[in-house]
């Protein structure tokens, strides 16, 4: 009998062949860890072994020359092993303390800031942006680079009340996630439909089913089957654009940035929280997004000044209250801040049924 056909495992690779020998030897047997300085973690194993991890920031989207340079630094100044954190910081592991200072010196000299640990503003996590996704209304890695250039000082120091996780997202569907501060695209006008292309490019029932407020209907225009949008119902979410590119929603003028505050995934000290809208209608202004950057820096400065130690952004806002948040940051409070979609479960189209 022939051997059964086995599935091809294409998930996360086995990390052990790539792991630093001290990490491999002491896997699951660590005693404690501390942070001797910003950007450096020291892990002490029950066996008495120690390992120092040096964390550095990069420009985020890296070319092959930069990756080679980082690998050369790992070979020459570390012990040939690197790993990336989930926020895309690069980490070098060394088993002797004497190797830490030369490694930091080399990284700094080559333009890779060492930091991002503890109560700092660590690297911003972002969605794919212009480079990899087919629907973005702005770049995401570009916003990260522009903002981290401005926040460099907060990356290399640990002077925030608690860690600050910032996220950016390049469409309103937001494949990013919750952040202490999130910078997300916000469309402000319904999609513009190219009726000549809809029938050829879109599976119309899928597009109709996709709309969260049931604003899309089949239609005939110039004798061709197409779709139409009830603009009074449309909430400009952009969900119809990915399955139907002729329903273009990205617009240089009307696709704006919105800033959200107080989200977190972790359940340390307080429960996970959704971020809330605090600023909308901000120009989507590449390559450096100065207007969004000013608002983020202002929120960070007020949080740094006003929050107690260990309060995450959302904990701080819960303690002082949203009216105080708007007062202290000077951000205008408008009618757009009131609806927090608590009724969304019953109001929005949460079923997979197709309506005509
Ligand atoms: S946020 Fe939207 S546009 Fe950006 S990568 Fe995710 S799905 Fe694509
Ligand atoms: S999916 Fe979103 S953008 Fe498209 S019609 Fe519905 S509400 Fe408007």
């Amino acid at each position: 009998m022939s051997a059964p056909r086995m599935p091809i495992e294409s998930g996360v690779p086995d990390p052990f062949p790539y792991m630093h020998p001290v990490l491999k030897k002491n896997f699951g047997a660590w005693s404690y860890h501390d942070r001797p300085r910003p950007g450096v973690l020291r892990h002490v194993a029950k066996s008495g072994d120690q390992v120092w991890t040096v964390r550095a920031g990069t420009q985020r989207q890296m070319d092959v020359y930069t990756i080679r340079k980082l690998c050369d630094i790992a070979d020459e100044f570390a012990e040939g092993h690197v790993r990336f954190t989930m926020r895309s910081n690069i980490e070098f592991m060394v088993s002797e303390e004497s190797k830490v200072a030369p490694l930091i010196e080399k990284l700094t000299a080559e333009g890779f800031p060492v930091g991002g640990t503890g109560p700092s503003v660590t690297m911003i996590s972002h969605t794919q942006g212009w480079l990899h996704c087919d629907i973005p209304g702005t770049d995401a890695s570009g916003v990260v680079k522009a903002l981290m250039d401005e926040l460099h000082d907060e990356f290399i120091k640990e002077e925030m009340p608690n860690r600050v996780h910032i996220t950016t997202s390049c469409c309103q569907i937001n494949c990013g996630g919750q952040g202490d501060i999130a910078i997300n695209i916000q469309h402000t006008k319904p999609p513009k439909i190219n009726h000549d292309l809809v029938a050829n490019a879109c599976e119309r029932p899928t597009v109709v089913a996709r709309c969260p407020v049931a604003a899309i209907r089949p239609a005939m225009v110039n004798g061709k089957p197409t779709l139409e949008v009830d603009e009074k119902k449309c909430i400009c979410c952009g969900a119809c654009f990915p399955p139907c590119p002729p329903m273009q929603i990205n617009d240089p003028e009307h696709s704006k940035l919105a800033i959200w505050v107080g989200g977190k995934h972790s359940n340390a000290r307080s429960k996970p929280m959704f971020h809330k809208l605090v600023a909308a209608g901000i120009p989507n202004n590449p390559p450096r997004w100065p207007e969004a950057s000013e608002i983020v820096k202002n929120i960070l400065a007020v949080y740094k000044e006003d929050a107690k130690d260990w309060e995450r952004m959302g904990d701080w806002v819960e303690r002082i209250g949203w009216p105080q948040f708007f007062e202290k940051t000077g951000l205008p409070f408008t009618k757009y801040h009131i609806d927090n979609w608590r009724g969304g479960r019953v109001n929005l189209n949460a079923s997979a049924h197709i309506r005509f």
Side-chain angles (χ1 to χ4, degrees), residues 126-130 132-140 168-176 242:
H126 71 83
T127 50
Q128 301 305 314
W130 289 327
H132 292 299
C133 191
D134 54 353
I135 57 167
T138 187
D139 200 13
T168 68
S169 185
C170 40
C171 80
Q172 208 161 263
I173 298 162
N174 180 11
C175 73

Side-chain angles (χ1 to χ4, degrees), residues 21 28 58 69 113 143 169 196 201 208 228 231 263-264 293 295 356:
T58 66
K69 189 189 280 182
V143 184
S169 185
D196 290 335
V208 170
E228 66 183 8
E231 298 200 351
K264 74 180 179 87
S293 166
I295 296 174
F356 290 102

Side-chain angles (χ1 to χ4, degrees), residues 93-350:
M93 280 67 64
V94 292
S95 56
E96 289 165 37
E97 191 174 11
S98 60
K99 292 181 180 171
V100 172
L103 174 58
I104 294 176
E105 203 177 309
K106 178 67 178 171
L107 285 167
T108 312
E110 294 288 350
F112 302 107
V114 170
T117 50
S120 64
V121 178
T122 188
M123 178 70 101
I124 299 169
S125 69
H126 71 83
T127 50
Q128 301 305 314
W130 289 327
L131 209 53
H132 292 299
C133 191
D134 54 353
I135 57 167
T138 187
D139 200 13
S141 54
V143 184
V144 170
K145 170 72 177 117
L147 262 171
M148 287 312 288
D149 280 354
E150 306 262 337
L151 301 174
H152 172 268
D153 230 34
E154 298 298 351
F155 180 84
I156 59 171
K157 294 177 186 160
E158 292 185 353
E159 293 181 350
M160 283 287 158
N162 198 339
R163 68 193 59 194
V164 179
H165 285 172
I166 305 181
T167 70
T168 68
S169 185
C170 40
C171 80
Q172 208 161 263
I173 298 162
N174 180 11
C175 73
Q178 299 300 313
D180 292 295
I181 302 177
I183 305 140
N184 297 347
I185 266 281
Q186 190 165 51
H187 302 297
T188 59
K189 291 268 197 262
K192 284 186 211 138
I193 306 174
N194 183 336
H195 293 291
D196 290 335
L197 296 180
V198 168
N200 291 340
C202 316
E203 195 183 341
R204 289 178 306 142
T206 313
V207 187
V208 170
R210 190 86 176 227
C211 180
V213 291
I216 306 175
R217 287 185 298 253
M220 293 291 277
V221 175
N222 298 331
K224 286 188 182 165
T226 181
L227 297 164
E228 66 183 8
V229 170
D230 180 344
E231 298 200 351
K232 286 204 285 300
K233 280 187 177 175
C234 175
I235 54 170
C236 311
C237 69
C240 49
F241 175 52
C244 188
M247 297 182 73
Q248 180 58 263
I249 193 151
N250 288 330
D251 183 282
E253 174 64 21
H254 301 300
S255 293
K256 302 283 192 186
L257 293 184
I259 294 182
W260 305 65
V261 157
K264 74 180 179 87
H265 295 280
S266 107
N267 55 6
R269 294 179 195 86
S270 57
K271 60 185 188 308
M273 300 178 210
F274 285 125
H275 47 225
K276 314 276 190 318
L277 182 75
V278 299
I282 304 154
N284 177 19
N285 194 0
R288 304 218 56 99
W289 292 272
E291 299 85 356
S293 166
E294 272 318 302
I295 296 174
V296 169
K297 284 194 292 181
N298 173 32
I299 295 170
L300 281 173
V302 178
Y303 165 67
K304 187 174 177 179
E305 179 68 29
D306 203 60
K308 293 182 180 163
D309 280 356
W310 299 108
E311 273 179 340
R312 288 285 289 264
M313 188 81 69
D315 300 326
W316 164 62
V317 178
E318 278 205 346
R319 177 172 59 80
I320 63 171
W322 284 104
Q324 277 290 306
F325 171 87
F326 283 97
E327 206 162 290
K328 283 176 193 279
T329 55
L331 291 168
F333 183 79
T334 72
K335 64 179 179 178
Y336 300 110
H337 296 106
I338 293 169
D339 191 349
N340 63 6
W341 298 100
R342 247 184 292 185
R345 208 69 181 129
V346 283
N347 290 337
L348 298 183
N349 172 12

